[in-house]
Amino acid sequence: MEDRKDVLILAIESSCDETAAAVMKNGREILSNIIYSQIDLHTLYGGVVPEIASRKHIEKINQVVKTALDTAQVTLDDIDAIGVTYGPGLVGALLVGVAEAKAIAYAAGKPLVGVHHIEGHIAANYVEHKELEPPYLCLVVSGGHTHLVKVKGYSEYEIIGRTHDDAAGEAFDKVARAIGLGYPGGPKVDKVSKTGRKDAVTFPRAHIEGCPYDFSFSGLKSAVLNYLNSCRMKQGLDGNEIYSRKTDNPEFDGNELIDPETGVTVADVAASFQEAVVDALVSKTISAAKDFGYKKIAIAGGVASNSALREGMKLACEKEGFELYYPKPLLCTDNAAMIGCAAYYEYISGTRHGYDLNAVPNLKLGER
Ligand code: KG4
Ligand code: ZN
C-alpha cells in the first residue's frame, strides 16, 4: 500500500501505434510503464494504417492497463486520477484510450484528466531529470510535430516555431522509404547513417523569410528524391528499381551503391539527409534560446532519440553554455509514463475533465 501523501496516476496513451499504460508516483517516478508496440503490424504496409491501429488498440488496451496496475503492485483503489491522451493524433486510435479512461474513471469513481500528447512528450524530460523545472526552451520533434516551445510553467506553453510542411519524423520516414529502408524510418536512417559520410551529398537547409524559428522539410525531402532520380537515370534504370531494396534483411548495412560513378551509398545519402535535418533543428533551437535568454534547452518526441541530433545538440550546448536535457530513447517515443507525468501536473493544478471528454485529433497545445 502506498503512503497516503503520494499521488498515483494511471495513464493511458493510444494516439498512434503504441497501446500504452503506466502508473506514475508523484509525477516523476515510474511504477510501471507498459508499451505494446504495433510497429511490426504496420511495417507490412510501410506506415501506420489508422483502421488497423484502432482495432489493435481495442484488442490490447485492457490487457495493457491490467499489466500496468499489476506491475506497479497497486489496484484502482490506490489510484488518485486517470490521465489520458485526448489529442492530437489519429481519431479512431485516440477514442479507444479516451473511452477506456472514461470507463475506468466512472467505474472506480476517480477524477479524469485529459492530456495533450505534446505536453506528454515535453514531460518525459521531468521523468528523466528529477531536477528539471520550467522555464526552458523545448524542441519537440515527433512523427506528427516539429515545434519550438517556450515552456513557461508546467501547463503553460508558447509555440514560437513550427514546421510549414512535413514534421521532422515524417521526413525521416519518407526518405527512409525512398532509399529502401522501410518503416519506421527514423531509427533505420539513424542506424545506417553511422556507416555513412554526412558530407557525401549537400542537401539544402530551408530558410523561411521572416520566420527565423520555423522549419520546412519538404524541400529537403524533394532534394533527396531528385538526387535519387538523377542517379537512377544515370544508370539507365527505370521503374522503381532504386527504391525497392530488400531492407527487411537484418544484414542490410547500407553499403549498397546509389551512384556507382561517385561511390555514394545508401548510408551516405542517409547520413547527408540526417545531417541537413540535424543542422536545421540545432541551429534554430540555439538561436531561439540565445534570442530569448534561456539557459536550459530540452528536446522531446520520437526524433529526440536520434543519435546525431543528441550529439549535435550536446556539442552546440557545450559550446554556447546551455544546459541540455533529453529523455532516454524509450521515453522519447510514445509511452504512457510521459502522459502520467503531464497528467500529474494538470491534476495538482486542478484540471478535471467530464465524462463528455472526446478525442480531439487536432488539439492545440495549451487548449483545454
Ligand atoms: O513521438 P513519436 O513516437 O510519435 C509521434 O507522436 O509522432 O515519434 C515517432 C517518429 C517517427 O517518425 C520515427 O521515425 C521517429 O519518431 N523516430 C526517429 C528515431 N526514432 C524514432 N527519427 C530519427 N531517429 C531516430 N532514432
Ligand atoms: Zn508522440
Side-chain angles (χ1 to χ4, degrees):
M1 205 27 202
E2 291 297 327
D3 190 321
R4 283 315 315 162
K5 304 190 299 305
D6 293 326
V7 174
L8 298 194
I9 305 276
L10 169 65
I12 296 172
E13 154 66 38
S14 70
S15 66
C16 191
D17 60 347
E18 265 90 26
T19 319
V23 177
M24 298 297 289
K25 180 170 156 183
N26 300 327
R28 301 193 184 211
E29 190 183 328
I30 298 176
L31 297 189
S32 64
N33 186 22
I34 309 301
I35 305 169
Y36 170 79
S37 173
Q38 306 178 358
I39 279 182
D40 290 349
L41 204 60
H42 298 286
T43 299
L44 299 170
Y45 304 94
V48 178
V49 183
E51 167 85 13
I52 294 176
S54 315
R55 285 171 181 267
K56 208 63 191 175
H57 284 313
I58 202 91
E59 190 184 316
K60 291 288 172 187
I61 191 103
N62 280 335
Q63 196 182 322
V64 166
V65 167
K66 181 171 185 323
T67 309
L69 290 168
D70 291 350
T71 306
Q73 296 185 303
V74 296
T75 68
L76 279 176
D77 287 343
D78 304 316
I79 298 292
D80 293 277
I82 315 296
V84 64
T85 306
Y86 72 109
L90 302 170
V91 68
L94 287 165
L95 280 170
V96 175
V98 170
E100 176 84 0
K102 291 197 317 189
I104 295 173
Y106 178 71
K110 304 288 176 177
L112 178 69
V113 180
V115 171
H116 191 289
H117 184 73
I118 296 300
E119 187 174 2
H121 274 304
I122 295 171
N125 278 291
Y126 301 133
V127 181
E128 187 74 47
H129 305 284
K130 310 295 178 214
E131 75 288 4
L132 178 64
E133 285 178 15
Y136 57 93
L137 183 70
C138 189
L139 171 72
V140 185
V141 268
S142 70
H145 299 88
T146 302
H147 286 344
L148 254 180
V149 183
K150 283 183 177 178
V151 182
K152 299 174 167 180
Y154 284 107
S155 315
E156 203 190 333
Y157 310 96
E158 182 188 341
I159 300 174
I160 56 162
R162 59 181 79 235
T163 179
H164 284 220
D165 37 61
D166 292 347
E170 199 179 346
F172 267 98
D173 293 336
K174 287 177 178 170
V175 165
R177 186 188 306 194
I179 55 176
L181 296 180
Y183 177 84
K188 293 187 174 175
V189 170
D190 191 351
K191 182 162 173 240
V192 102
S193 292
K194 292 191 200 307
T195 59
R197 295 168 293 156
K198 58 188 182 186
D199 57 355
V201 190
T202 306
F203 291 125
R205 276 75 164 153
H207 173 75
I208 302 157
E209 208 48 52
C211 307
Y213 316 123
D214 282 2
F215 304 94
S216 166
F217 296 109
S218 72
L220 169 60
K221 176 193 66 194
S222 301
V224 175
L225 295 181
N226 289 341
Y227 174 78
L228 295 173
N229 269 329
S230 67
C231 294
R232 187 162 56 94
M233 280 161 67
K234 272 203 289 189
Q235 294 169 64
L237 296 172
D238 55 6
N240 280 326
E241 281 145 285
I242 205 164
Y243 304 132
S244 53
R245 293 158 203 283
K246 283 299 297 163
T247 51
D248 289 342
N249 176 2
E251 306 297 315
F252 183 78
D253 61 4
N255 277 336
E256 193 175 339
L257 284 173
I258 291 260
D259 185 356
E261 225 171 70
T262 57
V264 169
T265 63
V266 166
D268 290 336
V269 174
S272 302
F273 157 76
Q274 182 173 268
E275 175 67 6
V277 177
V278 168
D279 191 13
L281 295 174
V282 172
S283 61
K284 290 182 189 208
T285 306
I286 295 290
S287 77
K290 279 186 188 166
D291 293 350
F292 292 103
Y294 281 100
K295 302 225 169 349
K296 296 180 277 187
I297 294 177
I299 56 175
V303 183
S305 59
N306 181 270
S307 56
L309 177 61
R310 292 158 93 95
E311 200 46 42
M313 277 288 184
K314 217 192 292 180
L315 288 176
C317 286
E318 271 164 22
K319 182 162 169 256
E320 304 290 347
F322 294 113
E323 204 68 53
L324 176 68
Y325 300 86
Y326 49 74
K328 62 169 76 66
L330 186 77
L331 293 175
C332 287
T333 45
D334 289 349
N335 65 87
M338 68 184 196
I339 301 302
C341 179
Y344 168 80
Y345 286 105
E346 291 290 349
Y347 174 74
I348 59 171
S349 74
T351 302
R352 302 287 184 272
H353 285 92
Y355 295 136
D356 58 350
L357 181 68
N358 205 343
V360 184
N362 57 355
L363 185 67
K364 303 281 173 287
L365 192 62
E367 228 173 57
R368 290 281 179 285

